[in-house]
Amino acid sequence: MSKMRKESAAKLVPFDAARYLTDDEAIAEYMNAVLETEDPDLLLLALGDVARARGMSQVAKDAGLGRESLYKALAPGAKPRFDTVMKVARALGVRLTAQTVEPTGS
């Protein structure tokens, strides 16, 4: 009986968004969804996902950063400078844009 349970048990693989960011449209949709949350930590995580999908070494080079510096800037809890975030976004081919916000309750 226990052997049967072992064979039927599914192995779960940790979710990795980078595996699904295969084209510019998917990346844009992902980044827009993340920006709507207004969560800076989630934004850094998403930038890291896109960077991994595009190749960390190439993104670091295109952003003018060292690979280790890129990892540190996008690490959970990191507080990178705004210009660093913009350099990374530009290197990823992503533009962060502004739009009006609907007023909340009067």
Side-chain angles (χ1 to χ4, degrees), residues 1-11:
M1 180 86 170
S2 65
K3 183 178 181 182
M4 188 177 193
R5 282 188 185 168
K6 287 182 183 178
E7 289 176 10
S8 65
K11 289 188 177 183

Side-chain angles (χ1 to χ4, degrees), residues 5-6 9 15 38-40 48 53-54 63 65 71 94 97 99 104:
R5 282 188 185 168
K6 287 182 183 178
F15 179 76
E38 299 180 7
D39 182 339
R54 294 273 169 101
L65 301 170
Y71 274 107
V94 174
T97 61
Q99 60 185 10
T104 57

Side-chain angles (χ1 to χ4, degrees), residues 3 9 14 24-25 35 37 43-44 47 49 53 67 74 77 100 106:
K3 183 178 181 182
D24 291 341
E25 185 177 335
L35 287 168
T37 69
L43 175 61
L44 293 180
L47 288 171
D49 290 339
R67 190 169 180 264
L74 300 178
T100 60
S106 298

Side-chain angles (χ1 to χ4, degrees), residues 2-3 13 19 26 28 56 70 73 102:
S2 65
K3 183 178 181 182
V13 179
R19 294 179 57 198
M56 291 295 272
L70 179 60
E102 295 294 322

